[in-house]
Amino acid sequence: MNRLIILFADPDRPPEVLESQDGEVLRYEVLRQGEAEAWAPARTILVVPGADVAARWLDLPAASDAQARSAAGFMLEEALAAAPERQHIAVGPRGDGPRLTAVVDAPRLQGWLDRAAALGVTPDVVTPDHLILPPADDRLVGVRFGQLLSVRGHDLALSGEPELLAAVLGERTPTPANPLESAALLARGAEAPAINLLQGAFAPGGERTESGGWKRAIVLAALLLISPLLIAGAQIARNTGAALGLEDRADRRAVAMVPSLRGTSDPAGQALARLEARHAADRFLDLTAATFQVVQASGPVRMETLVYGEDGALRISVAYANYSDLDTLKAAAAQAGLDLVEDSTVTEGGRISTDLIVRSPR
């Protein structure tokens, strides 16, 4: 039996649980607090917000998963907005062609695991909502996860606000499935999730344990080296205790303001992260709206992908037939006050595709 635990982007919305067997839905309802303690054994799949997980198809070497993740990190280094050490990379099963690769902010993934632990859930698989949907060969399918829409096709998977996806996908935007159809799609997808984010440092008992052993050895070595300085240990302990007291007070204040943070590993840090995310969302919406207006005003230019980075820039891919179309797009961007930088251009037959970086003037 498979048990999906669905976490929504809105942390105030309670998670949902879907149980299935051989692709057939057994139940689908809101997860009640403390319910997990009485569950029968099942493969547990934590479904997380796909809007926070970027999916790519990459030509990776036929090597071990660790080597494939390392190669993916080098290939995506320029495309990743955040610092590489914050990015967690997972790879899908090996096949004959390109390999599915997922990238997520490591602290965000840890936050999802903390939310699951607070529910009494230890997942066997963690996968983004747009990749739990089974791929459709000749069409796109869409399922609502709270206020966001997740879309899956044969070679496409993304999640975001419906209006944003409609602007990106145009006429290809699927009509969201009704609740019964959505449950059936999730049950089918649970049979073989496309990717499991629990790899590398997040693999159960794997590299994390090994890394922890090295960290302990380093700490012990450091203690031996600084032993002559231990005479100041009492003062250090007092200062450390005061700092921990302040941290504890900040955590309690954060939980009082946002009760859903109770049980998480760093309530104060997560509260600050949410405030920063709200500011980033405002900047994202303003820049995205202006970019869509510019693209729409550029006639035959069509936007194919859009990624927002922590550096405040949009990275978009546009397709067009004539190089003059790109000149029209650049002129419209300049008129709108946007800074447009051409990253790379590929020509295939009569189709031209260009990657662009879009920024608002500081």
Side-chain angles (χ1 to χ4, degrees), residues 29 43 52 94 96 139 213 327 334 337-338 351:
E29 57 191 43
R43 183 176 67 157
D52 296 317
R94 281 191 289 265
D96 295 332
R139 63 188 179 91
D327 294 334
L338 297 179
R351 179 178 179 276

Side-chain angles (χ1 to χ4, degrees), residues 166-190:
V168 174
L169 299 175
E171 296 180 353
R172 299 180 65 198
T173 307
T175 301
N178 63 44
L180 289 178
E181 293 172 338
S182 298
L185 288 169
L186 293 174
R188 285 170 49 201

Side-chain angles (χ1 to χ4, degrees), residues 35-118:
E35 178 184 359
E37 298 176 1
W39 278 344
R43 183 176 67 157
T44 302
I45 304 169
L46 187 67
V47 180
V48 298
D52 296 317
V53 183
R56 300 285 189 276
W57 287 98
L58 299 178
D59 290 314
L60 298 176
S64 68
D65 287 355
Q67 292 170 326
R69 290 193 300 271
S70 178
F74 283 111
M75 296 173 68
L76 294 170
E77 185 174 5
E78 294 184 0
L80 298 178
E85 60 270 15
R86 285 180 57 93
Q87 299 292 345
H88 173 67
I89 296 176
V91 293
R94 281 191 289 265
D96 295 332
R99 195 166 180 183
L100 180 61
T101 306
V103 185
V104 62
D105 186 65
R108 192 177 300 276
L109 176 55
Q110 184 60 56
W112 290 327
L113 293 174
D114 291 342
R115 287 174 62 184

Side-chain angles (χ1 to χ4, degrees), residues 157-235:
L158 68 166
S159 179
E161 296 181 355
E163 297 79 7
L164 176 60
L165 296 189
V168 174
L169 299 175
E171 296 180 353
R172 299 180 65 198
T173 307
T175 301
N178 63 44
L180 289 178
E181 293 172 338
S182 298
L185 288 169
L186 293 174
R188 285 170 49 201
E191 290 299 300
I195 200 165
N196 184 3
L197 299 180
L198 297 182
Q199 301 179 22
F202 289 90
E207 295 171 41
R208 172 182 292 182
T209 301
E210 194 172 304
S211 174
W214 280 106
K215 289 180 180 178
R216 285 192 295 272
I218 292 171
V219 170
L220 290 174
L223 286 175
L224 290 175
L225 289 174
I226 66 171
S227 57
L229 303 178
L230 291 182
I231 190 171
Q235 182 63 41

Side-chain angles (χ1 to χ4, degrees), residues 89-166:
I89 296 176
V91 293
R94 281 191 289 265
D96 295 332
R99 195 166 180 183
L100 180 61
T101 306
V103 185
V104 62
D105 186 65
R108 192 177 300 276
L109 176 55
Q110 184 60 56
W112 290 327
L113 293 174
D114 291 342
R115 287 174 62 184
L119 296 168
V121 173
T122 302
D124 301 299
V125 177
V126 177
T127 194
D129 51 31
H130 51 57
L131 290 177
I132 194 63
L133 302 178
D137 292 334
D138 56 351
R139 63 188 179 91
L140 299 181
V141 297
V143 169
R144 294 292 293 263
F145 289 90
Q147 299 299 316
L148 303 183
L149 174 66
S150 292
V151 175
R152 182 78 193 273
H154 177 66
D155 56 355
L156 181 147
L158 68 166
S159 179
E161 296 181 355
E163 297 79 7
L164 176 60
L165 296 189

Side-chain angles (χ1 to χ4, degrees), residues 239-328:
N239 292 340
T240 301
L244 292 176
L246 290 174
E247 290 180 2
D248 184 60
R249 195 185 315 169
D251 286 342
R252 291 199 301 271
R253 182 70 60 85
V255 170
M257 291 188 298
V258 188
S260 61
L261 293 177
R262 187 181 304 279
T264 59
S265 59
D266 182 14
Q270 293 194 36
L272 288 174
R274 290 189 187 185
L275 290 175
E276 293 174 359
R278 288 184 181 179
H279 293 313
D282 291 338
R283 295 193 298 270
F284 165 73
L285 291 175
D286 292 341
L287 182 56
T288 300
T291 302
F292 284 142
Q293 290 176 357
V294 166
V295 173
Q296 290 173 355
S298 303
V301 177
R302 181 167 65 90
M303 187 187 303
E304 294 190 323
T305 62
L306 181 149
V307 177
Y308 181 73
E310 291 186 2
D311 60 352
L314 283 180
R315 286 165 172 77
I316 66 173
S317 176
V318 296
Y320 49 95
N322 302 301
Y323 286 102
S324 59
D325 297 332
L326 183 60
D327 294 334
T328 302

